[in-house]
Amino acid sequence: VLYETLENFKHHTCDIVAKSQECIDWINDYYGKKNVQFYNMDSLEFLTKMKDERKQFDLLWIDSHHTYEFLLSELTIAGKLGAPYIMIDDIWGDRGLQIAVFQFMNENKGYKIHSYRNVRASVGSIMILEGC
């Protein structure tokens, strides 16, 4: 979608499954560009690496282990990255995930809920936080 809609972008993505690199290589090869970069690591390692490298993001998309502790850790690092938008995937129906988001916002007053969509119950529900 990014290649089809944006002229110039950089997309960083991560997964603990090394074979995911093949998909990223295929996409980059198809478009003849290297705008998508893959990191074979979990999201906490990835976010920490991006923070340490002082990367800037317009948007962070969080879609990983879906546990209270893991999401709160991801959000804490994401907040330090200062992205204007943080999207959290598959948040509907899991009270622990919802509490993690509210705890994050309570500890990081610079973020508020921008929007929430629940297209297909537990799959496809997305909450977007906006930096204030």
Side-chain angles (χ1 to χ4, degrees), residues 114-130:
H114 175 272
S115 61
Y116 173 78
R117 295 288 184 269
N118 187 14
V119 179
R120 291 179 304 275
S122 63
V123 176
S125 58
I126 296 173
M127 181 179 285
I128 303 173
L129 303 181
E130 180 179 16

Side-chain angles (χ1 to χ4, degrees), residues 2-58:
L2 294 173
Y3 274 125
E4 294 289 333
T5 57
L6 299 174
E7 192 66 31
N8 187 21
F9 70 91
K10 290 182 182 177
H11 178 72
H12 301 267
T13 188
C14 67
D15 199 321
I16 58 173
V17 178
K19 199 161 178 66
S20 297
Q21 179 72 56
E22 292 177 19
C23 180
I24 300 305
D25 290 343
W26 184 88
I27 292 168
N28 283 332
D29 290 346
Y30 180 83
Y31 287 97
K33 298 178 181 178
K34 300 282 185 198
N35 295 22
V36 181
Q37 186 172 353
F38 175 74
Y39 300 81
N40 182 212
M41 57 183 63
D42 76 27
S43 58
L44 289 177
E45 291 175 279
F46 170 77
L47 289 168
T48 300
K49 178 179 177 61
M50 297 297 104
K51 182 179 70 69
D52 292 347
E53 292 179 5
R54 298 180 184 191
K55 296 278 188 189
Q56 298 286 310
F57 293 95
D58 297 317

Side-chain angles (χ1 to χ4, degrees), residues 26-110:
W26 184 88
I27 292 168
N28 283 332
D29 290 346
Y30 180 83
Y31 287 97
K33 298 178 181 178
K34 300 282 185 198
N35 295 22
V36 181
Q37 186 172 353
F38 175 74
Y39 300 81
N40 182 212
M41 57 183 63
D42 76 27
S43 58
L44 289 177
E45 291 175 279
F46 170 77
L47 289 168
T48 300
K49 178 179 177 61
M50 297 297 104
K51 182 179 70 69
D52 292 347
E53 292 179 5
R54 298 180 184 191
K55 296 278 188 189
Q56 298 286 310
F57 293 95
D58 297 317
L59 166 73
L60 290 172
W61 180 292
I62 296 177
D63 182 14
S64 62
H65 292 293
H66 305 300
T67 66
Y68 164 84
E69 294 83 8
F70 208 87
L71 178 58
L72 185 57
S73 296
E74 289 172 314
L75 287 170
T76 299
I77 301 168
K80 291 176 183 172
L81 281 163
Y85 295 95
I86 301 172
M87 296 179 75
I88 305 142
D89 199 25
D90 301 331
I91 193 166
W92 182 87
D94 189 319
R95 188 105 171 114
L97 298 180
Q98 296 162 5
I99 291 170
V101 170
F102 286 109
Q103 184 173 338
F104 167 75
M105 288 190 311
N106 189 46
E107 295 168 0
N108 296 271
K109 303 293 186 196

